[in-house]
Coordinates of all heavy atoms in Angstrom, one line a residue:
Chain A
S459 N -11.0 11.7 -0.6 CA -11.1 13.1 -0.3 C -12.4 13.7 -0.6 O -12.9 13.4 -1.7 CB -10.0 13.9 -1.1 OG -8.7 13.6 -0.7
Y460 N -12.9 14.5 0.3 CA -14.2 15.2 0.0 C -13.7 16.7 -0.1 O -13.1 17.3 0.7 CB -15.1 15.2 1.3 CG -15.7 13.8 1.4 CD1 -14.9 12.7 2.1 CD2 -17.0 13.5 0.9 CE1 -15.6 11.4 2.2 CE2 -17.5 12.2 1.0 CZ -16.8 11.2 1.6 OH -17.4 10.0 1.8
Q461 N -14.1 17.2 -1.3 CA -13.8 18.7 -1.5 C -15.0 19.5 -1.5 O -16.0 19.3 -2.3 CB -13.1 18.8 -2.9 CG -12.5 20.2 -3.2 CD -11.6 20.2 -4.4 OE1 -10.7 19.3 -4.5 NE2 -11.6 21.3 -5.2
N462 N -15.0 20.5 -0.6 CA -16.1 21.5 -0.5 C -17.4 21.0 -0.1 O -18.4 21.5 -0.6 CB -16.2 22.4 -1.8 CG -15.0 23.3 -2.0 OD1 -14.4 23.6 -1.1 ND2 -14.8 23.8 -3.2
W463 N -17.5 20.0 0.6 CA -18.7 19.4 1.2 C -19.2 20.1 2.4 O -18.3 20.2 3.3 CB -18.7 17.9 1.3 CG -18.7 17.2 0.0 CD1 -17.7 17.0 -0.8 CD2 -19.8 16.6 -0.6 NE1 -18.1 16.3 -1.9 CE2 -19.4 16.1 -1.9 CE3 -21.2 16.5 -0.3 CZ2 -20.3 15.4 -2.7 CZ3 -22.0 15.9 -1.2 CH2 -21.6 15.3 -2.4
P464 N -20.4 20.5 2.6 CA -20.8 21.0 3.9 C -20.8 20.0 5.0 O -20.9 18.8 4.7 CB -22.2 21.6 3.6 CG -22.7 21.0 2.5 CD -21.5 20.4 1.7
D465 N -20.8 20.5 6.2 CA -20.6 19.6 7.3 C -21.7 18.5 7.4 O -21.3 17.3 7.7 CB -20.7 20.5 8.6 CG -19.9 19.9 9.7 OD1 -18.8 19.7 9.5 OD2 -20.4 19.9 10.9
E466 N -22.9 18.8 7.2 CA -23.9 17.8 7.4 C -23.8 16.6 6.5 O -24.4 15.5 6.9 CB -25.4 18.4 7.2 CG -25.8 18.7 5.9 CD -27.3 19.1 5.8 OE1 -28.1 18.2 6.1 OE2 -27.5 20.2 5.4
F467 N -23.1 16.6 5.3 CA -23.1 15.5 4.4 C -21.7 14.8 4.6 O -21.4 13.8 3.9 CB -23.3 15.9 3.0 CG -24.6 16.5 2.8 CD1 -24.7 17.9 2.5 CD2 -25.7 15.8 2.9 CE1 -26.0 18.5 2.3 CE2 -27.0 16.2 2.7 CZ -27.2 17.6 2.4
L468 N -20.9 15.2 5.5 CA -19.5 14.6 5.7 C -19.6 13.4 6.7 O -20.5 13.4 7.6 CB -18.5 15.6 6.2 CG -18.0 16.7 5.2 CD1 -17.2 17.7 5.9 CD2 -17.2 16.0 4.1
P469 N -18.8 12.4 6.5 CA -18.7 11.3 7.6 C -18.4 12.0 8.9 O -17.6 13.0 8.9 CB -17.6 10.5 7.1 CG -17.3 10.8 5.6 CD -17.8 12.2 5.5
N470 N -18.7 11.4 9.9 CA -18.6 12.0 11.3 C -17.1 12.4 11.6 O -16.8 13.5 12.2 CB -19.0 11.0 12.4 CG -20.5 11.0 12.4 OD1 -21.2 11.8 11.9 ND2 -21.1 9.8 13.0
E471 N -16.2 11.6 11.1 CA -14.8 11.9 11.5 C -14.3 13.1 10.7 O -13.2 13.7 11.1 CB -13.9 10.7 11.1 CG -13.8 10.3 9.6 CD -14.8 9.3 9.2 OE1 -15.9 9.2 9.8 OE2 -14.5 8.6 8.1
L472 N -14.9 13.6 9.7 CA -14.5 14.8 9.1 C -15.3 16.1 9.4 O -15.0 17.1 8.9 CB -14.6 14.6 7.4 CG -13.8 13.4 6.9 CD1 -14.0 13.4 5.4 CD2 -12.3 13.6 7.2
K473 N -16.3 15.9 10.2 CA -17.1 17.1 10.5 C -16.4 18.1 11.3 O -15.5 17.8 12.1 CB -18.4 16.7 11.3 CG -19.4 15.9 10.7 CD -20.7 15.6 11.4 CE -21.6 14.6 10.9 NZ -22.1 14.8 9.5
D474 N -16.7 19.4 11.1 CA -16.0 20.6 11.8 C -15.8 20.3 13.2 O -14.7 20.5 13.8 CB -16.8 21.8 11.6 CG -17.0 22.3 10.1 OD1 -16.3 21.7 9.2 OD2 -17.8 23.2 9.9
A475 N -16.8 19.9 14.0 CA -16.8 19.9 15.5 C -15.9 18.8 16.0 O -15.8 18.7 17.2 CB -18.2 19.9 16.0
N476 N -15.5 17.8 15.2 CA -14.9 16.6 15.6 C -15.7 15.9 16.6 O -15.2 15.6 17.8 CB -13.5 17.0 16.2 CG -12.5 15.8 16.4 OD1 -12.9 14.7 15.9 ND2 -11.5 15.9 17.2
P477 N -16.9 15.5 16.2 CA -17.8 14.8 17.2 C -17.2 13.4 17.7 O -17.7 13.0 18.8 CB -19.0 14.6 16.4 CG -18.7 14.7 15.0 CD -17.5 15.6 14.9
L478 N -16.3 12.8 17.0 CA -15.8 11.6 17.5 C -14.6 11.8 18.4 O -14.0 10.9 19.1 CB -15.4 10.7 16.3 CG -16.5 10.2 15.3 CD1 -15.8 9.4 14.2 CD2 -17.5 9.6 16.0
G479 N -14.1 13.1 18.5 CA -13.1 13.4 19.5 C -11.7 12.8 19.2 O -11.0 12.3 20.0
I480 N -11.4 12.6 17.9 CA -10.2 11.9 17.5 C -9.1 12.9 17.1 O -9.4 14.1 16.8 CB -10.5 11.0 16.3 CG1 -11.0 11.8 15.1 CG2 -11.5 9.9 16.7 CD1 -11.2 10.9 13.8
W481 N -7.9 12.4 17.0 CA -6.8 13.3 16.6 C -6.9 13.4 15.1 O -7.2 12.4 14.4 CB -5.4 12.6 16.9 CG -5.0 12.7 18.3 CD1 -5.1 11.7 19.2 CD2 -4.3 13.8 18.9 NE1 -4.5 12.1 20.4 CE2 -4.1 13.3 20.2 CE3 -3.9 15.0 18.5 CZ2 -3.5 14.2 21.2 CZ3 -3.3 15.8 19.5 CH2 -3.1 15.5 20.8
R482 N -6.7 14.6 14.6 CA -6.8 14.9 13.1 C -5.6 15.9 12.7 O -5.3 16.7 13.5 CB -8.1 15.5 12.7 CG -9.3 14.8 13.4 CD -10.7 15.2 12.9 NE -11.0 16.5 13.2 CZ -12.2 17.0 13.0 NH1 -13.1 16.3 12.2 NH2 -12.5 18.2 13.3
T483 N -5.1 15.7 11.5 CA -4.1 16.7 11.0 C -4.9 17.8 10.4 O -5.3 17.7 9.2 CB -3.1 16.0 10.1 OG1 -2.4 14.9 10.8 CG2 -2.1 16.9 9.6
V484 N -5.0 18.9 11.0 CA -5.8 20.0 10.5 C -4.7 21.2 10.0 O -4.0 21.6 10.8 CB -6.7 20.7 11.5 CG1 -7.5 21.9 10.9 CG2 -7.7 19.6 11.9
N485 N -4.8 21.4 8.7 CA -3.8 22.4 8.1 C -2.4 22.1 8.7 O -1.6 22.9 9.0 CB -4.2 23.9 8.5 CG -5.5 24.2 7.9 OD1 -5.8 23.8 6.7 ND2 -6.4 25.0 8.6
G486 N -2.0 20.8 8.6 CA -0.7 20.3 8.9 C -0.3 20.0 10.3 O 0.8 19.5 10.5
A487 N -1.2 20.4 11.3 CA -0.9 20.1 12.6 C -1.9 19.2 13.3 O -3.1 19.3 13.1 CB -0.9 21.4 13.3
L488 N -1.3 18.2 14.1 CA -2.2 17.3 14.8 C -3.0 18.0 15.9 O -2.4 18.8 16.7 CB -1.4 16.2 15.4 CG -1.1 14.9 14.6 CD1 0.0 14.1 15.1 CD2 -2.4 14.2 14.3
T489 N -4.2 17.8 16.0 CA -5.1 18.5 17.0 C -6.3 17.6 17.2 O -6.8 16.8 16.3 CB -5.4 19.9 16.5 OG1 -6.3 20.5 17.5 CG2 -6.1 19.9 15.2
K490 N -7.0 17.8 18.4 CA -8.4 17.4 18.5 C -9.4 18.5 18.5 O -10.6 18.3 18.7 CB -8.4 16.6 19.9 CG -7.7 15.3 19.9 CD -8.0 14.6 21.3 CE -7.4 13.2 21.2 NZ -7.8 12.4 22.5
E491 N -8.9 19.6 18.2 CA -9.8 20.8 18.2 C -10.7 20.8 16.9 O -10.4 20.2 16.0 CB -8.9 22.1 18.1 CG -8.1 22.4 19.4 CD -9.0 22.6 20.7 OE1 -10.0 23.4 20.6 OE2 -8.8 21.8 21.6
P492 N -11.8 21.5 17.0 CA -12.7 21.6 15.8 C -11.9 22.2 14.7 O -10.9 22.9 14.8 CB -13.8 22.5 16.3 CG -13.8 22.5 17.7 CD -12.4 22.3 18.2
A493 N -12.3 22.0 13.5 CA -11.7 22.5 12.2 C -12.5 23.7 11.9 O -13.7 23.7 11.7 CB -11.7 21.4 11.1
P494 N -11.7 24.8 11.6 CA -12.4 26.1 11.3 C -12.8 26.0 9.8 O -12.1 25.4 9.0 CB -11.3 27.1 11.4 CG -10.0 26.4 11.2 CD -10.3 25.0 11.7
R495 N -13.9 26.5 9.5 CA -14.4 26.7 8.1 C -13.7 27.9 7.6 O -13.7 28.9 8.2 CB -15.9 26.8 8.0 CG -16.6 25.6 8.1 CD -16.8 24.8 6.7 NE -17.1 23.4 7.0 CZ -17.2 22.5 6.0 NH1 -17.1 22.9 4.6 NH2 -17.6 21.3 6.2

Side-chain angles (χ1 to χ4, degrees):
Chain A
S459 293
Y460 291 83
Q461 184 166 323
N462 285 344
W463 286 80
D465 214 46
E466 72 170 298
F467 298 111
L468 287 170
N470 287 339
E471 65 268 26
L472 298 183
K473 289 188 197 297
D474 294 352
N476 193 14
L478 300 180
I480 61 178
W481 285 100
R482 311 190 294 185
T483 301
V484 178
N485 295 325
L488 271 166
T489 177
K490 289 188 173 183
E491 293 300 307
R495 279 277 162 177

